[in-house]
Amino acid sequence: MGAFGGAASGPEGGPAAQGPDYSLAPLVLFWEVTRACALKCLHCQAAAQPFRHPLELTLQEGFRLLQDIASFEPRPVLVLTGGDPFMRPDLLDLVAYSLSLGLRTALSPSATRLVTRHALQRLRALGLSRISFSLDGPSPQVHDAFRGVRGSFLRTVECIRDALDAGLPLQVNTTVSRHNVRDLPRIADFLLSFAPRLLLWDLFFLVPTGRGRREDLLSPEEHEDVYNWLYTLAREVPFRIKTTLGQHYRRVYIQRAAAEGQDPQRAWREMAMAATNDGKGVCFVSHIGEVYPSGFLPLPCGNVREQSVVSIYRTSPVFRALRDPARLKGKCGRCPFKTVCGGCRARAYACAGDYLQEDPSCLLQPEGSGDLGPTW
């Protein structure tokens, strides 16, 4: 048995659950306001640099983009990300304008000295919906090695505490890779010290893009192990847990719920409501205006300097293909869970060069009779 407990098998079948219709608008839109960042993270999907790019969207171009985003119906949640958003001196102007348009706006900065108590208090006064910080280890040794800057662990903890003191809703993100997978239980224990004010722990499962390396990926068995551990942990902690780029967790959730005698229809409905994926409920705008299905699937489908992000999201052939589960290939195409999971399209692209190919991190063999492979 692994560090997170064993896998639970369960019925593969279930209703052809359909979640929200993401053909008209994403649930969440990420805008990489800059690629500049003082950190040197091992896994950085943006391969962030110390300085701002000369072709970054200007403040006025940013305002026009925000107006366009606000014209989506329904309106998405907007996440301002980077790089480090605080490397833009006009960041608070962007936040204020976004909120004035009625957009639910979140911020994902790097934990540096630019995140001052005064800035956090201003963000709270403006009405920021949420702020998130990344914590990739339970100690300076693990986290600082991940982030490439000595002292970043202590600074992250300071930022988390300052954000909570300012009254900002808080989310903590953790990128899961071979560097820290055995430390996840200790990270969870550490996060309990911020309860009950911590809203959400979001675990990002590595995609080998940017600085992320394929050799740092977990094996399919290790992914399954972590998903099963998370299913149990989610019932024991006072904060919510979700996965990003870990779509198979939805399938594990359904199987575990069925194995425990819970209503399988309810489990399918719950996971169908969360069934976003690259280009399906997710959209990403880069620092120079390129529109991608996600920040981890770097396929430019248009540029907001030339075309509306609304039009790109709705009509791009890539986006449309990503929203059609009938287009999936390999075992993802044969999988009975494809409407709620669909595999990570970014990982399929990074590993196979085809965003519709099967996700190599999944243990399930759908042509069998519910066999999840070995238990451990």
Side-chain angles (χ1 to χ4, degrees):
M1 182 174 289
F4 304 99
S9 61
E12 286 189 6
Q18 297 295 330
D21 181 4
Y22 291 124
S23 62
L24 295 180
L27 176 67
V28 58
L29 189 147
F30 297 87
W31 176 21
E32 176 191 64
V33 296
T34 183
R35 192 164 282 188
C37 184
L39 301 182
K40 304 172 184 176
C41 304
L42 290 177
H43 61 270
C44 181
Q45 54 86 16
Q49 304 299 320
F51 305 103
R52 295 175 62 193
H53 195 288
L55 296 180
E56 269 182 16
L57 296 181
T58 66
L59 179 61
Q60 291 304 316
E61 287 175 322
F63 285 167
R64 287 194 293 272
L65 172 61
L66 292 172
Q67 292 169 4
D68 199 18
I69 295 169
S71 72
F72 271 114
E73 184 59 44
R75 290 176 175 174
V77 174
L78 173 66
V79 179
L80 301 178
T81 183
D84 178 10
F86 272 104
M87 294 292 274
R88 283 191 68 131
D90 56 7
L91 174 64
L92 293 183
D93 295 323
L94 293 170
V95 172
Y97 190 67
S98 175
L99 291 166
S100 75
L101 294 172
L103 287 167
R104 287 182 295 163
T105 307
L107 182 65
S108 182
S110 300
T112 71
R113 294 297 171 186
L114 295 176
V115 184
T116 65
R117 291 187 177 184
H118 177 67
L120 293 171
Q121 290 165 354
R122 287 193 61 190
L123 289 167
R124 171 60 175 166
L126 288 171
L128 188 75
S129 295
R130 183 172 300 189
I131 194 166
S132 67
F133 293 101
S134 293
L135 187 69
D136 296 306
S139 66
Q141 291 77 12
V142 179
H143 179 87
D144 290 3
F146 223 68
R147 293 284 155 182
V149 174
R150 193 171 183 178
S152 61
F153 174 83
L154 294 178
R155 182 59 192 142
T156 298
V157 175
E158 288 176 355
C159 288
I160 288 173
R161 288 174 175 160
D162 288 347
L164 290 174
D165 289 344
L168 284 167
L170 176 69
Q171 172 178 323
V172 171
N173 303 326
T174 298
T175 297
V176 181
S177 76
R178 291 201 178 280
H179 292 278
N180 65 351
V181 63
R182 296 302 169 192
D183 294 300
L184 292 179
R186 292 175 58 206
I187 297 174
D189 288 342
F190 183 74
L191 292 179
L192 286 172
S193 65
F194 301 114
R197 294 183 293 172
L198 172 64
L199 294 180
L200 176 69
W201 186 23
D202 195 350
L203 292 92
F204 287 65
F205 287 79
L206 182 72
V207 169
T209 189
R211 293 196 193 111
R213 301 183 304 172
R214 190 162 182 172
E215 54 265 36
D216 293 334
L217 279 174
L218 303 186
S219 69
E221 292 81 7
E222 289 169 322
H223 275 92
E224 198 81 7
D225 206 1
V226 177
Y227 296 147
N228 277 279
W229 172 72
L230 288 175
Y231 177 88
T232 301
L233 180 70
R235 284 146 181 76
E236 300 172 350
V237 295
F239 46 82
R240 288 178 52 228
I241 291 175
K242 73 177 289 287
T243 62
T244 296
L245 308 164
Q247 287 82 355
H248 316 114
Y249 177 68
R250 303 166 196 159
R251 183 258 303 161
V252 169
Y253 181 98
I254 292 169
Q255 291 177 308
R256 287 288 299 269
E260 293 173 0
Q262 299 181 39
D263 179 3
Q265 299 283 335
R266 179 179 178 180
W268 273 87
R269 287 194 300 268
E270 288 179 6
M271 292 301 99
M273 294 301 294
T276 59
N277 211 318
D278 307 277
K280 179 187 176 185
V282 177
C283 184
F284 181 92
V285 179
S286 82
H287 62 300
I288 58 173
E290 292 178 324
V291 179
Y292 303 151
S294 79
F296 299 87
L297 181 48
L299 282 175
C301 299
N303 193 295
V304 300
R305 286 184 164 123
E306 303 166 355
Q307 188 180 1
S308 161
V309 67
V310 176
S311 175
I312 295 170
Y313 178 83
R314 290 177 178 173
T315 66
S316 161
V318 173
F319 275 85
R320 290 169 68 91
L322 287 164
R323 292 194 289 267
D324 183 1
R327 300 283 299 275
L328 295 176
K329 302 175 183 177
K331 65 181 184 179
C332 283
R334 300 188 299 272
C335 183
F337 294 97
K338 65 184 178 183
T339 58
V340 293
C341 172
C344 177
R345 300 297 93 221
R347 192 174 296 111
Y349 181 75
C351 295
D354 182 349
Y355 56 84
L356 296 174
Q357 193 50 262
E358 66 185 48
D359 181 346
S361 68
C362 182
L363 189 65
L364 184 67
Q365 297 298 328
E367 51 271 79
S369 56
D371 180 24
L372 287 179
T375 55
W376 55 95

